[in-house]
Amino acid sequence: MKLIRLVFFVGTCLLLRSNLSKKFLYSFGLSCTFAILIFQFTVMTEYDVVVIGSGPGGYVCAIRAAQLGKKVALIEKYNSLGGTCLNVGCIPSKALLDSSHHFHSAVHEFADHGINVGDPKADLKKMIERKRKVVNQTVDGIKFLMGKNKIDVYHGLGSFEDAHTVKIAGEKEERIKGKNIVIATGSKPSNLPFISLDKERVITSTEALELQEIPKHMIVIGGGVIGVELGSVYARLGSKVSVVEYLDRIIPAFDKEMSKELMRSLKKIGVEFHLSTKVTAVERDGDIVKITAEDKKGESVNIEGDICLVSIGRRPYTDGLNLEAAGVKANERGQVEVNDHLQTNQSHIYAIGDVVRGTMLAHKAEEEGVMVAEIIDGQKPHIDYNLIPNVVYTWPEVASVGKGEEALREAGREIKIGSFPMRALGRSRASGDIDGVVKIMADAKTDEILGVQMIGARAADMIAETVVAMEFRASAEDLSRMSHAHPTYTEAVKEAALAATGNRALHM
Ligand code: FAD
Ligand code: NAI
């Protein structure tokens, strides 16, 4: 298009210098302008790869495709890039978890270390302000990466017009074409049909990251990852927190042992739990929210608070995408259906991240983004979903990779288990973080590590070593014979591996 404008400009200059009549020049100019306008509206820019959605799945896919020499467009409906993770998910929640952790340590732990800071006060407005800064810096980083990789960014709602054309409804309406299109539109919070989310007192995680006052009593419906992470933030800041969970355990994606350990730790900071309890009604009465529920004995449970956080999972998001126009199928759960190569039923349209099957995690979305870009490039990448780690950023942190003990037993695997309590480590006693345990499951005959579950200080970072070990199909003995720096929390991994291989733990 730039070239056509240049030709038009040079041509006009030459004509003006010629001896042709003004009338002729005028009508010629007008016709050319119309021709360009018609051209602009009928001939759309065509890209090798068009990515819809700029979360960790979408923006990573765009970068990898650009690295591979593709002409790439990224469409995002909001002004801010980075999706749920950067704007209302991973990054802001971790910023608040860190701030509230510092506050809690100042109130409850500093004195023990001989530090007297008087009577610390939590300034939630300041914490939220800091969180916003962290988010903005991170989002700016993505903007920079888009420019660096020469990716064309369009802001506006992307929707299919046909299997190769995407309309972008932003400040102006535009249309672009993609030889390949990647759907990376993410997810939104789920809700129960009888709950009216007023986003003021009955809220989702998005609003919980923007509260301006510390709640007196926060009721959390759903004891999954969001419930325990954001419940921890406000419990540390002094809120009473009540978690109402439908199942008989919190964080059900982990072994029951991890759930129990985490509950024990969270109870110490004042979180109360109602397990096996089914919420039947949520009503707002002025500044009060009333929850009615039923426990497993059928007895009624009534809780009153000033904030109710609904965190019962998330649903894939394809609203406004007009999948039908492209002939792309979604299943009854709303997930875009994909094969092992992340292709939809239209082979040039791919889908990745929260909008497809599998765990809703940023790093899973990123792996899929890279995989799709490389498939489009003709490569043969592969993801081992069993080795995507899972982390909960409470304190202590919880982390896992591979299969849990319960899943392995259910599958009839013969396993041996090595466990090591964090409290037996010198490092834990030095910092005062003595809660937790590392558990390694290995094949009873071959000793190959099949899964790791851990709860303890820095478990989020510690899990990485076991991911590497499993990627290389290490045995528990391999891990037990590696030197681990002393004193570190990671010594618990070595000790658990020693325990798994003939009860050789040295410090237990
Ligand atoms: P998203 O990040 O949801 O991005 C999708 C993007 O697509 C959005 O920006 C959306 O605006 C855009 N979009 C949607 N439809 C259109 C359209 N039609 N046109 C244009 N744009 C569109 N995961 C972790 O791994 N670690 C964590 O610590 C963690 N913490 C979390 C904390 C919270 C509170 C929440 C809610 C989630 C957390 N997650 C975490 C999950 C993580 O945020 C998601 O798994 C991840 O963001 C999914 O990435 P995605 O690219 O698939 O989609
Ligand atoms: P979740 O799936 O982790 O937990 C939802 C919980 O709600 C489950 O324990 C479930 O049993 C319970 N539940 C469902 N219906 C219920 C009902 N009617 N009454 C009471 N309890 C009910 O979902 P959550 O916490 O909303 O998080 C959504 C997703 O976001 C997670 O699946 C996770 O993938 C991602 N996430 C990841 C984080 C991380 O990696 N650290 C942090 C936060 C979110």
Side-chain angles (χ1 to χ4, degrees), residues 192 222 224-226 229 245-247 252 311-313 360-361 391 393:
L192 292 168
V225 203
I226 293 181
E229 285 189 3
E245 165 59 51
Y246 181 73
L247 298 177
S311 50
I312 54 158
M360 289 185 168
L361 295 174
V391 173
Y393 295 82

Side-chain angles (χ1 to χ4, degrees), residues 401-404 408 439-442 448-453 470:
V401 63
K403 301 265 184 308
L408 288 166
K439 192 168 88 165
I440 294 180
M441 277 68 69
E448 180 177 353
I449 302 169
L450 302 174
V452 181
Q453 303 251 325
M470 287 182 71

Side-chain angles (χ1 to χ4, degrees), residues 52-58 75-78 82-85 88-90 93-94 156-158 184-187 205 209 226 229-230 314 317 319 321 352-355 360-363 365 393:
I52 311 176
S54 74
I75 308 172
E76 171 53 55
K77 71 172 181 171
Y78 294 122
T84 304
C85 178
V88 291
C90 327
S93 60
K94 267 79 249 177
L157 182 81
T185 49
S187 62
S205 54
L209 296 165
I226 293 181
E229 285 189 3
L230 294 180
R314 293 176 63 85
Y317 183 72
D319 298 6
L321 198 53
I352 58 173
D354 282 10
V355 80
M360 289 185 168
L361 295 174
H363 44 287
Y393 295 82

